[in-house]
Amino acid sequence: MSIMERIAKETVGSDNPDEINISDLVKFLYRGKILILIVTFLCSFMGFYYAYFFAVPKYQATAIFNIQNTQKPSLNLDGLDTLALFSGIQTIGSQSENILDQVNGADFLRKVVENERLYLDQEFFINPSQTEKNWLSDIKTYFKRTLGLTHKKPPLNQTEVINTTVEALGKSFAIKQTKNGAYELSFFSNNAAKAAFLANTLMNTFLEVREESLNSSNQKFLSYLQ
């Protein structure tokens, strides 16, 4: 008679059906100690292997900046603001732009990608020709070739490479407005130094582009008045 059958028999014959014989249960677990040790070792080994060879750490760097609201001039322009808007020229000190949309805009991110040449960074763009081959990819290639499913894709041109990098860059950071009106830009990367560098780069580039845009808008407005 097995231990489990004996435990079940004693449980049925006892007055309390919820009563368990602890000694028999301990003996049963002791007999399976080899299997328990093997399963524990395998789980520990798989956790260690994943943590050191597959898991990629993520670092976060945050840059905080504030956009000062420019006060509109108190001078009465006698409707020239309206004429400027109709002519396609923004008024001085206009704060109608959405900062969050501007930072996440493809045009701005494309400028950062081109300036910093992020399309050469494999974290944002992996060139198919530089992909490391392993035994699994070789097996997939063999079966595809055997079944006639292989077809060469044309290489990406520079515009497609930059667009792909821009999309990857847009997924690597987040920007939000704080309660005090400032803006918090957080960048995520598997390299701490790169996360800090790109968080500050995005912030500084945006402030420079915004300053240039405001100066250009003001010059156009003054030229229109002249």
Side-chain angles (χ1 to χ4, degrees):
M1 182 182 295
S2 64
I3 295 176
M4 298 304 297
E5 292 177 350
R6 191 187 315 160
I7 294 175
K9 184 177 180 181
E10 292 178 357
T11 301
V12 173
S14 61
D15 295 335
N16 187 3
D18 295 332
E19 184 179 354
I20 298 176
N21 193 326
I22 301 299
S23 60
D24 289 339
L25 183 60
V26 171
K27 291 178 182 178
F28 175 76
L29 294 176
Y30 182 76
R31 290 179 181 178
K33 62 182 181 297
I34 302 299
L35 179 61
I36 295 174
L37 289 175
I38 292 175
V39 172
T40 303
F41 173 78
L42 288 177
C43 292
S44 301
F45 176 77
M46 291 175 62
F48 174 83
Y49 188 81
Y50 175 80
Y52 282 87
F53 294 97
F54 284 96
V56 179
K58 279 289 184 181
Y59 300 94
Q60 175 180 348
T62 302
I64 299 177
F65 62 96
N66 192 12
I67 302 296
Q68 185 178 3
N69 291 327
T70 306
Q71 298 294 331
K72 291 186 178 182
S74 58
L75 179 64
N76 184 8
L77 298 179
D78 295 330
L80 288 179
D81 288 346
T82 305
L83 292 175
L85 288 174
F86 277 114
S87 63
I89 303 175
Q90 296 179 344
T91 58
I92 300 174
S94 175
Q95 296 294 326
S96 61
E97 302 90 357
N98 191 323
I99 305 300
L100 303 180
D101 290 342
Q102 289 179 10
V103 175
N104 289 289
D107 293 337
F108 168 70
L109 295 181
R110 186 174 292 106
K111 183 179 181 65
V112 176
V113 168
E114 293 175 348
N115 289 347
E116 304 302 329
R117 304 180 68 185
L118 295 182
Y119 48 84
L120 300 179
D121 191 333
Q122 292 190 0
E123 184 175 349
F124 304 105
F125 176 75
I126 299 179
N127 194 320
S129 61
Q130 298 177 353
T131 304
E132 295 183 0
K133 295 184 178 181
N134 51 34
W135 62 271
L136 182 59
S137 63
D138 291 339
I139 292 176
K140 290 181 178 179
T141 304
Y142 173 76
F143 279 107
K144 287 182 178 180
R145 188 183 301 111
T146 303
L147 298 174
L149 300 177
T150 57
H151 58 281
K152 292 185 177 181
K153 296 181 179 180
L156 299 177
N157 56 40
Q158 187 66 13
T159 301
E160 293 173 331
V161 170
I162 292 178
N163 290 339
T164 303
T165 309
V166 167
E167 184 178 355
L169 178 62
K171 297 177 181 178
S172 301
F173 75 94
I175 184 171
K176 63 180 181 180
Q177 190 170 11
T178 61
K179 294 181 179 180
N180 60 358
Y183 295 90
E184 181 179 280
L185 192 153
S186 300
F187 198 94
F188 309 92
S189 174
N190 52 18
N191 183 284
K194 185 189 298 183
F197 172 76
L198 288 177
N200 285 283
T201 298
L202 284 170
M203 177 189 66
N204 292 330
T205 304
F206 172 74
L207 294 177
E208 291 174 359
V209 170
R210 180 178 172 82
E211 184 68 21
E212 292 175 359
S213 177
L214 290 176
N215 291 337
S216 176
S217 177
N218 293 341
Q219 289 177 359
K220 289 181 180 179
F221 183 74
L222 293 176
S223 299
Y224 179 79
L225 292 180
Q226 293 177 356

